[in-house]
Structures are given as structure tokens and as C-alpha cells.
Amino acid sequence: MRPTGRLLGLCALSVLTQGARSISLSVNPDGGNASSPLLYGFMFEDINHSGDGGIHGQLLQNNGFQGDSPNLTAYAAVGDVSLAVDFDNPLTSAITRSLRIDVPSGTTGQVGFSNEGYWGIPVDGTTYTTYFFMKGKYSGEVTIKLVGTTSGIEYGKSTLKVTSGDKFSEFNTSFPTTRAPDGDVLYTLTFDGAQAAGDSLWFDLVMLYPTTYKNRYNGLKTQIVDVLDGVKGSFLRFPGGNNLEGASPSDRWKWNETIGPLEDRPGRQGDWTYPNTDALGLDEYFYWCEDMGLDPVLGVWAGFSLDGGGGTPITGDALQPYIDDVLNELEYILGDSSSKYGAWRVANIGRTEPWPLTMVEIGNEDNLGGGCASYPERFQRFHDAIKGEYPQLRIIASTSNSTCLPDPLPEGVWTDYHNYNTPENFYNEFDFFDNVDRSFPYFVGEYSRWEIDWPNMQGSVSEAIWMLGMERNSDVVKMAAYAPSLNLVNSTQWTPDLIAFDQNPTDGVFLTTSYYVQQLFSTNRGDTIKEVTSDSDFGPVFWCASSKGSMYYVKLANYGQDTQALDVKIPGTTTATLTYVANDDPSAYNSDEQHIVSPVTKTLSGNGTFTFTLPAWAVAVLAAQ
Ligand code: AHR
């Protein structure tokens, strides 16, 4: 874990010069190595409010008063009433706190509460649905509004008739909205104060959803999914990262507390400073994968938390309950309705077919923080138990450090190698995978340029060099994911991130230079890596070529201030497009305040040879046929 704040990128003066001479590349159309079809994908955990307040569609903050320090964050009274977090009137045994509203005698008019969402509420003009639980003697109308915090403009409203008594009852209503110009919107729930004067009413698990991605109940926010989908990734690794591990064993991500009705999910104190509602739970992750066509990579807890040795690593007999728990989780995912946990899945979501899980990662970064010495034992025991029940599953170790792995490593295991690095090191590590032991395939489950505020051109070009090194070795590098993927700009625990966002419903998603690099590389994939001969050495220009059918892709990175003239020979091709992201200032970046780098596409023609100039600090793909 390495939290950062926002730092300012260094400004560099740019003096452009032409590279000394033209670089000639010649792609051999014959032969080549098979490329991994899964190479580019996503790593996701709830960090930077990427889940709650981010890609998950529920828009109200603190709706179940979860986490270690329950309080009234995001709430305010509407009218002359007082609000309190009530510990004596739980909604369920999972949601143990509720919102109590004390209504003074003599109250008249509309009173209730507001919720400001996660630093605002995006109102996008679709149909919105609110759900809430209410308790206390009341028979009358409840009015829901989405209203501009400073403007007072109403973007949506619904009034429903409710009767509530001494037990919690659930209510819901759907209503049309008009698009708000920004995220500065409040949710208000009010009722007739006269009806409740001198009494208290309780509310809990108040939820608000826009029309979600693929219209799923408890689904995802379309605006963010669409941008992620633009990368056309192949897999999703979840639920962490550090957020799988917990501050201590009892704080770990517990699969069985993230499924079923939302009122049965207690949530937890996440590892990134804020409570997690777990409304984005195990089944929701699988729906996400299914809807976006991603192969799930499930991380399971492996007896190691972030407490630096306080309660973990857990070894010996004490580990068995956690191994059993993972087997139960896998039965929930893969079992049929005749199995105990498979039947639980069917009862929860009505899905009789198993989820299409093929890859399980045991733990997270077990090479760090005192986990290494015990990981050979822990890994082997989880591995054997899982393979004993589910031999078809691919098992991934959470580290590729051989001193932390059993010797020999069981057949078929992939290892996870994380690489947060400086641009200089990414440059120098271009050939890292040329030189690894090829008998153990790699999953690069997390990487990015680190210690900077926003991805910038120099960092993104250096990531591209690292990616070229992976792609040309993608017989042995099976999958790779930039991390972290998402960042609500109002709640940042880690920078840089691939995609940033706020709650503006129209232009509240900010595409970084690294996003464009991921998109360029992932959307231009061959299935065979081709041999390239050149009259020049690698650096400052790097390349990798691939093909699929009659299409050829030559990926290029220019890590330098000079523009570079190139001619690329690909026998049998006649037309090509050159798409690049570039800026002559290596510190140029996109952010929530500026968007100065965008992809540029040019059409080229050539009779088997394409001649063009690569700009300074550029990442490019030549797609030819
Ligand atoms: O991506 C942020 C963190 O970096 C992950 O949670 C962890 O696995 C790594 O240390």
C-alpha cells in the first residue's frame, strides 16, 4: 500500500528536433509466436471511491451507516427536525444502525432529510429509482426530490403514499428526471411534519439509482462503464488489491457478506479509509464481467492481512477454516442447485447456471509485509484444496518472487508480478520479460508509473514501453492490468489512476494519457507476435508487431524529445492508419481541469512500406492491411 496525495507534475521546456536518421522496420509476415488473447484487462478494487460513489450505480452516501465510525456524513435536516444515528433500532442484523428523525411537537410543513451523495449526485435525465426503509407511526405522503444544491432547481420529483408502523417497511418509487448541468445536486426525502409532530421516524438503507448499465437492479453507472468498455479489456481482477486483505483477518473482504438482499449485507471498513457498502458484491462483479464480456479473475483471501503480522499470517490448523470458506465461495460461484452454496446463489439471484469462473488468485502481494515466509505453505494448501475440487481452475500465485513460492511450483500455476515504477525504470525494463524463466507464465496484475499526480506523457510512454515488452513476450505474459483503474477526484487515496471522474452527468469522466495508451494497445490486438528486423537498436523508439488474419499492428513508443522518421515494411499491405497520442511536453497531462492530449488518426498509403514521422513523446499504432 502506498497512499499518495496530488503532486504537481514537473514542467519541461520542449525543444523539438528531428531524430538523427530514419528508422527502418521490417515485419516478417511468416511465422511468429502466439499472443495471449487475454493480454489486456482491468484490475478493480474499491479505492478512491471507485466502487461506492464510482462505478456502482447507487448514488447516496452512508445509506447504511456502515464502517467503524458511524456518523451523519452526507446527511442534513430539512426543516426544524433533528437527525441522529440510532443504534437501538436496527433494520436487520446486518444493517444495525438507522437514521432517527425527531420531529418536535407543533411542527407543520414538509420536514425530513437530505443526502448529498458522494460529493454530489449525477442526474443524467434517465428514469431514477429510490428505495427506502421506514419505521414509525406515519400515514401520509413522502416526497422525494433531486434538487440543485445552490440553484434550487428541481431535476426530479416523486410523491408516494406510505403507511408505516412499528416495524421497518420498504418503499420504492421510480420517476423521470431532467439532466442537471453539474453534480451539485441534493436528494431530499420529506414528509408531512404535522403528521409526525412530537414523534420520531426512522429511515434506513435509502438508495437512489439512475437507469443502470444494461438496466440491472443494483447495477452499474453507465457513464463510467462506457468509458471502461472503450478499452475493450479481456478480464477483470477483483475484489483487490489491498481491499481484499483487510486491516486484520476479521476486516477482510468476506464474500458471503456481499451477496443476497442489500439489507443483509453489513458492509465493512474498507482498506482505503472509508466504509464499503458491499452493494457491489460478488454476484454484481460477475454480472459486470458478463455484461462487459470480461473473464473474471477472483482474488481469494489467503490468511494474510495488512496488519503487518499482528494477526497474520495464519498458518497450520488455524488456516483450515479459511480454506473451507474459499471452497464454499467457489461452490456458490460454480455449484449447481443441488449443492448447498450453489442453491444459495439460485435463491439469491435466480441463476441456475454457474458463473463462468476460470481463474482464481490466492491472496494479494504475499511477498510484502511479512507474508513471504509463510506463503509457500499457505499457497500450497489453498492450491491443493481448490484443485482437488475444481481441477479445471487456473490458479494464480499472488507473487512471482520464487523465495515466497513453493518449490517446485505446482504445474499450471501463473504468478502475479506487480510493477509500480518510475519512467526511467520502465524504459530500462523493456527487456525484462525477454529474460525470465519461460516455464512459469506471468500475470502482471498491477502496474503503472507511480509517484505523480496525473498520468502524463512521459509516464504513459514509459508504460507503453513496458507494455511493448510484455506484448512481444505474450507467450509468457498472459494478462496485464494498469492499476488503480478509477478515481473519484473528491476522494483520492492513490495517484495516478487510469480514469478519473466527478459527479457531473455530462462531462464528469476524465480520460488520462494512460487511458488512451491502454485503449490504443488493447483495441489493436493481433493473435500472433511477428518478428521485426531493424537497422536501429531499441531506444528511444521501441516497437512490437503482431498480426491477425490480414491485419498487421505495429505498436510504437517514442520516449524522447526528437521526432522520429520511420519507414515500416509489411509485405502484402497497401493501406494503413496511424493513430497516436503525443505531446512535445513530457509533463503534459489530462485531468479534471484540462484535456490537452487526445488520439490523432492519419491514413497512410504505401506499397508494402509506410513512411511517416512519429512525434516526440508518442505512443502509436500503425494498423495495416
Ligand atoms: O493499486 C493500489 C494497491 O497497490 C493495491 O491495492 C495493492 O495490491 C498494491 O500495493
Side-chain angles (χ1 to χ4, degrees):
M1 179 182 294
R2 184 194 59 89
T4 67
R6 291 242 182 254
L7 306 166
L8 280 182
L10 289 179
C11 262
L13 280 180
S14 54
V15 182
L16 289 184
T17 51
Q18 172 80 45
R21 62 185 175 82
S22 179
I23 297 172
S24 293
L25 305 180
S26 179
V27 178
N28 183 350
D30 302 322
N33 288 335
S35 170
S36 169
L38 294 177
L39 187 57
Y40 298 115
F42 305 111
M43 186 279 181
F44 180 86
E45 66 176 328
D46 208 323
I47 181 174
N48 304 317
H49 275 289
S50 54
D52 288 329
I55 198 166
H56 187 248
Q58 201 291 110
L59 304 176
L60 303 182
Q61 188 175 183
N62 194 19
N63 67 348
F65 307 96
Q66 290 138 311
D68 286 350
S69 349
N71 55 40
L72 285 172
T73 293
Y75 290 90
V78 175
D80 192 15
V81 294
S82 54
L83 309 185
V85 180
D86 192 322
F87 294 77
D88 297 327
N89 288 275
L91 173 62
T92 61
S93 58
I95 302 293
T96 57
R97 300 109 184 202
S98 56
L99 176 68
R100 194 183 71 234
I101 306 187
D102 298 327
V103 185
S105 301
T107 298
T108 57
Q110 289 289 302
V111 294
F113 67 89
S114 66
N115 185 297
E116 64 186 29
Y118 292 93
W119 295 271
I121 296 175
V123 183
D124 62 10
T126 63
T127 298
Y128 276 49
T129 303
T130 187
Y131 307 81
F132 59 91
F133 290 86
M134 179 177 177
K135 167 175 158 171
K137 201 163 157 294
Y138 183 80
S139 184
E141 289 184 340
V142 165
T143 299
I144 311 296
K145 283 187 195 172
L146 296 175
V147 57
T149 312
T150 39
S151 68
I153 295 171
E154 221 171 81
Y155 301 110
K157 177 179 174 181
S158 181
T159 298
L160 64 163
K161 182 104 178 69
V162 307
T163 300
S164 71
D166 55 10
K167 288 202 167 95
F168 274 106
S169 310
E170 186 176 10
F171 303 96
N172 67 73
T173 177
S174 294
F175 54 96
T177 64
T178 51
R179 182 180 287 268
D182 52 36
D184 192 24
V185 171
L186 276 180
Y187 170 99
T188 65
L189 184 155
T190 58
F191 49 87
D192 178 7
Q195 290 265 351
D199 279 333
S200 298
L201 294 178
W202 289 263
F203 292 85
D204 218 341
L205 220 53
V206 183
M207 298 175 254
L208 176 71
Y209 294 85
T211 300
T212 57
Y213 181 62
K214 305 241 169 172
N215 227 340
R216 288 220 180 266
Y217 167 74
N218 189 35
L220 303 179
K221 212 184 267 170
T222 308
Q223 201 187 0
I224 294 181
V225 177
D226 283 349
V227 167
L228 213 54
D229 197 32
V231 174
K232 298 292 171 226
S234 296
F235 65 86
L236 180 70
R237 172 178 173 231
F238 62 87
N242 293 144
N243 206 37
L244 167 72
E245 295 175 74
S248 70
S250 60
D251 296 319
R252 72 192 189 280
W253 187 87
K254 298 185 189 116
W255 71 274
N256 56 324
E257 294 186 356
T258 74
I259 55 174
L262 295 167
E263 60 271 25
D264 293 342
R265 304 185 193 185
R268 59 185 275 269
Q269 185 64 37
D271 289 302
W272 292 103
T273 72
Y274 55 89
N276 292 177
T277 68
D278 288 334
L280 175 56
L282 186 65
D283 286 312
E284 288 75 24
Y285 282 119
F286 281 107
Y287 279 124
W288 174 357
C289 290
E290 190 162 272
D291 289 346
M292 269 179 71
L294 303 169
D295 278 20
V297 182
L298 176 72
V300 297
W301 196 76
F304 185 57
S305 287
L306 295 170
D307 53 6
T312 58
I314 294 172
T315 56
D317 291 347
L319 198 56
Q320 195 54 45
Y322 299 101
I323 296 172
D324 294 342
D325 188 52
V326 166
L327 293 179
N328 295 343
E329 179 179 9
L330 293 175
E331 185 175 294
Y332 182 88
I333 294 164
L334 296 167
D336 63 26
S337 52
S338 67
S339 63
K340 178 176 170 190
Y341 290 96
W344 196 9
R345 181 193 70 241
V346 178
N348 279 341
I349 59 168
R351 183 183 173 105
T352 50
E353 80 232 66
W355 288 116
L357 177 69
T358 60
M359 292 177 276
V360 175
E361 179 161 356
I362 297 176
N364 177 63
E365 293 186 339
D366 285 86
N367 51 316
L368 300 180
C372 178
S374 60
Y375 193 59
E377 177 204 337
R378 291 184 291 114
F379 174 80
Q380 189 78 53
R381 290 186 56 196
F382 278 95
H383 171 276
D384 293 353
I386 295 170
K387 286 298 259 190
E389 295 282 333
Y390 304 99
Q392 77 279 16
L393 290 178
R394 164 84 55 205
I395 305 295
I396 302 171
S398 76
T399 173
S400 44
N401 181 340
S402 60
T403 59
C404 313
L405 291 169
D407 184 12
L409 195 60
E411 186 89 23
V413 168
W414 294 355
T415 63
D416 189 348
Y417 180 81
H418 292 181
N419 193 4
Y420 293 102
N421 226 323
T422 59
E424 295 73 20
N425 285 342
F426 276 136
Y427 184 104
N428 291 327
E429 290 176 11
F430 167 71
D431 62 355
F432 179 86
F433 289 108
D434 297 355
N435 302 310
V436 295
D437 173 356
R438 301 193 97 70
S439 51
F440 295 110
Y442 283 81
F443 170 32
V444 182
E446 300 179 24
Y447 68 91
S448 62
R449 185 262 193 267
W450 73 340
E451 287 178 337
I452 197 166
D453 184 357
W454 293 86
N456 66 12
M457 258 340 287
Q458 181 181 16
S460 300
V461 175
S462 76
E463 289 159 5
I465 294 169
W466 172 248
M467 293 164 78
L468 288 168
M470 292 194 286
E471 185 162 322
R472 65 198 229 104
N473 287 289
S474 58
D475 53 327
V476 74
V477 181
K478 300 297 184 185
M479 305 190 291
Y482 182 107
S485 49
L486 297 169
N487 170 211
L488 173 58
V489 293
N490 310 88
S491 172
T492 300
Q493 292 86 49
W494 183 294
T495 62
D497 303 284
L498 191 64
I499 300 164
F501 58 93
D502 64 19
Q503 306 297 12
N504 185 315
T506 305
D507 51 11
V509 184
F510 313 112
L511 305 184
T512 64
T513 50
S514 292
Y515 173 87
Y516 289 129
V517 170
Q518 291 292 318
Q519 187 182 47
L520 259 184
F521 275 35
S522 178
T523 58
N524 291 288
R525 281 196 242 182
D527 55 20
T528 308
I529 304 302
K530 310 302 279 187
E531 182 192 17
V532 180
T533 49
S534 172
D535 59 353
S536 309
D537 292 335
F538 288 118
V541 176
F542 295 82
W543 55 85
C544 175
S546 64
S547 70
K548 186 175 189 178
S550 60
M551 283 299 303
Y552 286 83
Y553 304 99
V554 180
K555 293 177 177 163
L556 298 152
N558 181 10
Y559 188 89
Q561 203 60 41
D562 294 340
T563 62
Q564 295 286 344
L566 277 108
D567 56 85
V568 178
K569 189 184 293 178
I570 314 173
T573 58
T574 51
T575 60
T577 55
L578 179 73
T579 306
Y580 60 81
V581 282
N583 199 285
D584 53 22
D585 177 358
S587 65
Y589 64 96
N590 294 340
S591 72
D592 54 343
E593 288 174 349
Q594 60 181 29
H595 191 96
I596 55 177
V597 182
S598 292
V600 173
T601 299
K602 292 180 172 168
T603 304
L604 308 178
S605 59
N607 198 7
T609 300
F610 302 95
T611 302
F612 57 92
T613 300
L614 198 57
W617 300 107
V619 178
V621 176
L622 179 78
Q625 60 184 330

